[in-house]
Amino acid sequence: MSEQRHIPISKPWMGEAEADAAKRAIMSGWVTQGPEVTAFEQEFAAYVGANYACAVSNCTTALHLALLAVGVKPGDEVITVSHSYIATANSIRYCGAIPVFVDIEPHTYNINPTLIEAAIGNRTRAILVVHQMGMPCDLKAILDVARRYNLPVIEDAACAIGSEILWDGEWEKIGKPHGDIACFSFHPRKVITTGDGGMLTTSNPEWDRQFRLWRQHGMSVPDTVRHGAKQVIFESYPMLGYNYRMTDIQAAVGREQLKRLLEIVARRRLLAERYQDQLSDVPGLKLPTEPNWAKSNWQSYCVRLPEQCDQVQVMQAMLDAGISTRRGIMCAHREEAYQIEAWSCGIALAECQHELGRCDRLPESELAQERSILLPLFHQITEKEQDYVSKIFAANVKLIA
Ligand SMILES: *Cc1c(COP(=O)(O)O)cnc(C)c1O
């Protein structure tokens, strides 16, 4: 039975509608940064309640532009988490700036707001927080510190499309944004996908204007304007730009995905509840919980194994039963790409004697990576399949513990 069964960790939910949309864009003759991109931006902005949304090639490029917009320069420090996909920290380094890593809260896997203030120094230019696995981070507490020090807050919302936060008594979508800029990903591992793709949202028209210049080589006149012009126009290049464009083929697909989002999030929330019911009595296992001001889209369902339980052994046993799992979110500071210089781990750079790989100041981040695993959760998983995952998982945890 287990031979033919294979349950993946995740799977995008796409169909004829997306294929037709891609065809529509291709047949239209306008295939990059044209009308589909504009429409996708408008629909996305309306969905999250943002004033401005600018589509780019992926979330990593979105993060890069967000950091540039708030003025991050070489030698600056940006406070963030190590416990995230490596793109979060990388985007800081693209600016020539230094990520200063702050530890996480063990239950939400998000930045611990009480540790931020101690990490602020003379060179701190911004705070880059993550809504890890779709779970909103504690923006109220984070903004409280940030505003006192006059620091901009960028939200890495790569995983958090469709997640909500309770804001002054109302549920609001992540991406409004509540910080200064929010960045989203449409990679297939996220909740909706365009193959690759990203989006920046903000309330600041000046930053939105900047994003649009930067994403297209710093070119003063967009293609769409030249195309429609009745008179000859020459473009100019007033600044160093990038090629961070989204194609119209991607945007057309994204518009269809956006139509599915409500249904996807509702389904994922139901599946998370079912895991909660099925696994809550496994001894020593810690399940993720939502703070009462947060509604996750459950981009990933991350459980913490009992102390005596070997992560690899459990994952292998699951794989043998035809079920894919993943280990907990990585820690950037443990990767070779980060073994490059004395690093700052929540203390001022000058005082920092740690090399990244031996950093002992991020204990919760490291534990989360070592002790957690992600269980399959995606729109099309059947309840029967989920029951099977829970059964095999619970049995193995008990056996191995
Ligand atoms: C996926 C992810 C990214 C990178 O997104 P891309 O669209 O692949 O560039 C950045 N941050 C976090 C937290 C992510 O999960």
Side-chain angles (χ1 to χ4, degrees):
M1 166 173 109
S2 59
E3 268 72 36
Q4 66 259 39
R5 195 192 289 261
H6 178 74
I7 303 176
I9 185 78
S10 101
K11 192 175 175 181
W13 187 39
M14 312 176 95
E16 293 292 334
E18 283 78 4
D20 288 345
K23 182 174 178 183
R24 180 180 75 218
I26 290 164
M27 300 310 285
S28 78
W30 194 296
V31 287
T32 197
Q33 205 169 282
E36 295 285 352
V37 167
T38 304
F40 185 36
E41 289 172 340
Q42 285 164 358
E43 288 158 15
F44 191 93
Y47 187 87
V48 298
N51 288 346
Y52 302 98
C54 177
V56 287
S57 48
N58 55 64
C59 185
T60 310
T61 54
L63 291 167
H64 183 196
L65 297 188
L67 290 163
L68 290 178
V70 302
V72 173
K73 300 216 162 47
D76 286 344
E77 294 181 355
V78 176
I79 292 171
T80 191
V81 284
S82 168
H83 184 68
S84 181
Y85 188 58
I86 199 164
T88 309
N90 283 355
S91 68
I92 295 167
R93 289 176 57 192
Y94 297 160
C95 303
I98 298 154
V100 174
F101 295 131
V102 168
D103 212 359
I104 56 159
E105 296 176 317
H107 308 299
T108 61
Y109 303 94
N110 279 326
I111 194 165
N112 184 337
T114 65
L115 302 178
I116 292 176
E117 190 157 8
I120 297 174
N122 292 335
R123 298 204 264 176
T124 309
R125 177 73 58 179
I127 303 175
L128 171 52
V129 296
V130 182
H131 302 298
Q132 196 54 260
M133 297 179 274
M135 183 70 76
C137 65
D138 191 352
L139 280 170
K140 273 258 149 77
I142 292 158
L143 286 169
D144 181 57
V145 187
R147 298 303 179 231
R148 272 194 282 126
Y149 287 87
N150 209 10
L151 291 168
V153 172
I154 297 166
E155 299 170 53
D156 180 342
C159 302
I161 176 71
S163 298
E164 296 180 28
I165 190 163
L166 192 62
W167 208 256
D168 303 330
E170 303 278 346
W171 286 102
E172 295 187 343
K173 295 271 181 353
I174 291 295
K176 190 179 165 131
H178 300 89
D180 295 283
I181 302 169
C183 303
F184 293 88
S185 172
F186 307 118
H187 181 269
R189 184 66 182 83
K190 319 300 185 191
V191 168
I192 60 171
T193 185
T194 58
D196 256 313
M199 192 74 80
L200 290 136
T201 61
T202 185
S203 308
N204 185 322
E206 184 51 31
W207 287 342
D208 183 67
R209 203 184 60 81
Q210 281 282 347
F211 300 151
R212 285 162 201 286
L213 286 169
W214 276 326
R215 73 174 172 179
Q216 196 176 16
H217 306 287
M219 188 162 91
S220 63
V221 186
D223 292 332
T224 38
V225 173
R226 271 190 301 176
H227 179 71
K230 293 280 178 285
Q231 278 172 329
V232 173
I233 326 178
F234 294 141
E235 80 281 17
S236 62
Y237 298 85
M239 67 187 68
L240 177 68
Y242 306 88
N243 179 356
Y244 287 173
R245 282 184 297 244
M246 176 183 275
T247 69
D248 266 40
I249 305 168
Q250 292 167 306
V253 170
R255 294 177 68 193
E256 295 304 321
Q257 288 275 282
L258 210 48
K259 290 181 197 161
R260 297 186 195 261
L261 186 54
L262 265 182
E263 198 183 335
I264 291 175
V265 173
R267 173 84 184 145
R268 300 186 80 97
R269 291 185 59 78
L270 178 81
L271 292 168
E273 244 174 72
R274 293 186 89 250
Y275 270 140
Q276 169 79 34
D277 289 346
Q278 293 173 349
L279 299 174
S280 59
D281 58 358
V282 179
L285 185 71
K286 290 213 179 63
L287 302 179
T289 51
E290 286 173 324
N292 55 16
W293 42 261
K295 280 190 195 163
S296 181
N297 64 3
W298 298 106
Q299 181 268 340
S300 288
Y301 193 82
C302 183
V303 301
R304 192 173 298 234
L305 297 171
E307 232 157 79
Q308 334 78 278
C309 219
D310 184 75
Q311 187 188 44
V312 179
Q313 218 181 331
V314 175
M315 291 177 68
Q316 188 62 53
M318 299 291 284
L319 198 55
D320 293 344
I323 302 164
S324 288
T325 59
R326 294 287 181 271
R327 70 169 179 177
I329 301 294
M330 66 177 297
C331 290
H333 76 276
R334 293 173 128 180
E335 293 299 322
E336 202 180 333
Y338 279 72
Q339 315 306 313
I340 43 167
E341 53 203 290
W343 215 258
S344 172
C345 330
I347 55 169
L349 185 67
E351 302 159 23
C352 183
Q353 302 303 317
H354 294 265
E355 278 174 39
L356 269 174
R358 290 188 276 107
C359 182
D360 58 357
R361 286 168 179 270
L362 302 168
E364 294 297 349
S365 299
E366 296 189 353
L367 275 175
Q369 178 186 13
E370 292 160 11
R371 311 281 338 140
S372 303
I373 76 170
L374 276 49
L375 298 177
L377 196 159
F378 51 95
H379 190 83
Q380 310 93 314
I381 194 171
T382 64
E383 305 202 339
K384 228 174 118 196
E385 285 172 323
Q386 191 186 23
D387 297 346
Y388 174 71
V389 172
S390 291
K391 195 183 88 189
I392 299 289
F393 179 63
N396 276 297
V397 167
K398 283 176 195 156
L399 196 71
I400 292 167

